[in-house]
Amino acid sequence: MGTDASLAERERAPDEINARARAVGLLHEAGVPFVVGGAYAYATYTGIYRDTKDLDLFPRKADAVRALEVLEKDGWRTEHHDEVWIYKAYKGDYFVDFIFSSGNGVATVDDEWFTNAKKANIFGYECLIAPAEEMIWSKAFVTERERYDGADINHLILKAGREMDWDRILRRFDRYWEVLLSHLMMFRFAYPSERDIVPNYVMTELMSRTLQTVRDGSWDERLCRGNLVSKVNYHVDIHHWGFGDGRAWDEQERPEGDVRGARSELENTAGSGR
């Protein structure tokens, strides 16, 4: 990992790079909309390059189905890997990921990923690049033992934060604002001289919500929401220690439009058990 652009592909065989380029070209020709994410988008914003084993493309879910159909016609093997968030297409040993949400189903690819995207040249094609705001939204929930995207979030804020739409970030995190706050506190720790990149009103708003939750105290309902940020690390809490399944609870609440936690005064809305 470094600032040398060749690091993104130095360890990759020419056939692998050609497979990625072919996938992008075929999808362009077929008119399948997507934004580029992953290491290529990260490098666009930060100037940090790293070896990547795959190409991450972010379509809407319906367009992910179309993308698989296009590549199947070209001889790719395709897989509906997980209906919540990811499909895959394989050209021999090489593959492309089609990601249409975060793994917990929260950060769904919608129209705003496209209307707020940047443009960059990827494999000779002018492509839309996932917005930094949506990249942060998606990466914030990746806190597994084997993968934690906090440093990526810090670098995105450092390099793109002054141009970000922080109102949109607050809206994106909505009921998950504590996850956002945790990452912003880590940014402040990592870069004490750059704290002003995050607008003061953002920190003031999030800290005021925190103070309100201190006043409100604990929920009566014994939930563990940890499995929204880690699929495996909170298994024991739910299956052995008697905590309610926070992800299942959250999935049930989402379609009802519940915005508990979006603002401090909404902390005690339906489902809190308080």
Side-chain angles (χ1 to χ4, degrees), residues 160-252:
R162 296 192 189 279
E163 290 75 45
M164 285 183 192
D165 183 342
W166 286 96
D167 286 337
R168 191 165 93 249
I169 291 176
L170 284 172
R171 175 167 54 80
R172 285 301 205 186
F173 277 89
D174 190 35
R175 60 197 281 139
Y176 314 101
W177 62 268
E178 289 147 311
V179 177
L180 172 61
L181 177 58
S182 72
H183 286 287
L184 295 184
M185 293 303 293
M186 186 59 71
F187 175 81
R188 292 169 66 83
F189 174 81
Y191 300 106
S193 64
E194 311 301 322
R195 290 174 177 170
D196 64 332
I197 291 177
V198 180
N200 286 340
Y201 79 87
V202 173
M203 296 304 303
T204 300
E205 169 64 20
L206 295 176
M207 294 303 292
S208 70
R209 296 181 192 180
T210 302
L211 287 173
Q212 186 60 49
T213 64
V214 172
R215 298 186 191 102
D216 291 342
S218 300
W219 295 7
D220 292 337
E221 187 174 359
R222 197 163 184 258
L223 273 177
C224 175
R225 293 186 290 174
N227 59 351
L228 281 160
V229 295
S230 172
K231 188 174 182 179
V232 299
N233 287 329
Y234 296 92
H235 183 274
V236 67
D237 305 75
I238 294 164
H239 295 278
H240 297 279
W241 290 349
F243 284 90
D245 185 331
R247 175 169 171 173
W249 171 86
D250 192 74
E251 289 171 349
Q252 183 177 3

Side-chain angles (χ1 to χ4, degrees), residues 71-110:
L71 296 187
E72 281 176 357
K73 292 178 181 178
D74 190 56
W76 294 61
R77 178 174 63 85
T78 63
E79 176 182 306
H80 288 224
H81 185 75
D82 188 322
E83 290 293 344
V84 171
W85 70 288
I86 187 171
Y87 295 162
K88 291 175 174 284
Y90 298 85
K91 190 74 167 177
D93 294 331
Y94 313 129
F95 62 99
V96 175
D97 285 340
F98 293 99
I99 301 169
F100 41 86
S101 184
S102 53
N104 59 10
V106 171
T108 301
V109 177
D110 57 19

